[in-house]
Amino acid sequence: MHEATSRSTLKLAVAPGVPSSHLSALLARQRAEEPDVALAFFEVTGDVLLQGLLEGRFDIGVSLQDASDPALKSQPLWIEDMAVAIAPRFHLLDQAKLTIADLQDHTIYRWQAEACPLLDESLISLMPVDRENVQRVPSFEMMALWVAAGYGVGLSAQSRIDHAHGWGSLCGRSQTAPLRS
């Protein structure tokens, strides 16, 4: 017997690093506005997401990276402010606003999933030529660990740093400051 209401399924691929608070708000809105559309979730790497979209394995993808293939259409769903995570003992906490130039004497930890070409270019251009001050880390948690231990400062999305304050000793004592270019 045929069901009176058929439920379609949308295959959604999500790349690492997509802020969960923004994505959950978006998904809650989708559920309210389109209750007859079921979602199938796939957490995949950026490369698998791109290839899966091109091959038709996924209907939609959410990533921190722009789509580099002209066959795909992309649009930003939200904009994140960048912030600086600072251990309490750093003198930078005395400043209400920080610029990228204020960070040049410190090791800066960047989570590789949060690539931001303009920010990364600005960081590299201001760093002393004889020092490699920008360190890439494989996870936000690793960045938070290095910052909380006082090895440098971290640059990440404001919402992610704010969320990390609740982690306790790992990053809960770190502070954030708005970053101006």
Side-chain angles (χ1 to χ4, degrees), residues 1 14 22 24 30-31 39 49 52 60 67 72 83 87 90 103 108 113 122 143 147 151 153 159:
M1 181 170 183
V14 180
H22 292 294
S24 62
Q30 179 275 333
R31 184 176 177 171
L39 291 178
L49 186 148
I60 298 173
L72 299 174
F90 274 64
L103 306 177
I108 299 170
S122 295
M143 183 197 81
V147 169
Y151 284 94
V153 299
S159 62

Side-chain angles (χ1 to χ4, degrees), residues 24-158:
S24 62
L26 179 67
L27 295 175
R29 183 175 177 183
Q30 179 275 333
R31 184 176 177 171
E33 293 178 6
E34 300 176 323
D36 291 334
V37 177
L39 291 178
F41 294 96
F42 302 89
E43 186 174 7
V44 297
T45 65
D47 293 339
V48 171
L49 186 148
L50 181 62
Q51 193 62 35
L53 287 170
L54 292 170
E55 294 173 356
R57 287 183 282 137
F58 310 122
D59 299 313
I60 298 173
V62 180
S63 174
L64 294 177
Q65 309 303 316
D66 283 335
S68 58
D69 192 297
L72 299 174
K73 291 190 324 185
S74 69
Q75 69 180 49
L77 297 175
W78 57 79
I79 296 174
E80 284 278 349
D81 290 327
M82 297 300 286
V84 181
I86 306 168
R89 58 192 154 280
F90 274 64
H91 72 286
L92 294 172
L93 282 176
D94 300 337
Q95 298 173 239
K97 298 264 186 190
L98 293 172
T99 65
I100 293 173
D102 294 328
L103 306 177
Q104 69 183 353
D105 294 330
H106 303 280
T107 299
I108 299 170
Y109 292 97
R110 292 276 291 131
W111 177 26
Q112 56 199 18
E114 286 185 329
C116 178
L118 291 175
L119 175 60
D120 293 336
E121 185 178 305
S122 295
L123 289 170
I124 291 169
S125 71
L126 287 173
M127 293 300 143
V129 177
D130 61 337
R131 291 184 27 207
E132 180 83 21
N133 282 27
V134 180
Q135 301 292 319
R136 301 281 176 196
V137 292
S139 67
F140 177 82
E141 292 77 10
M142 186 59 72
M143 183 197 81
L145 176 83
W146 288 115
V147 169
Y151 284 94
V153 299
L155 287 179
S156 187
Q158 176 78 46

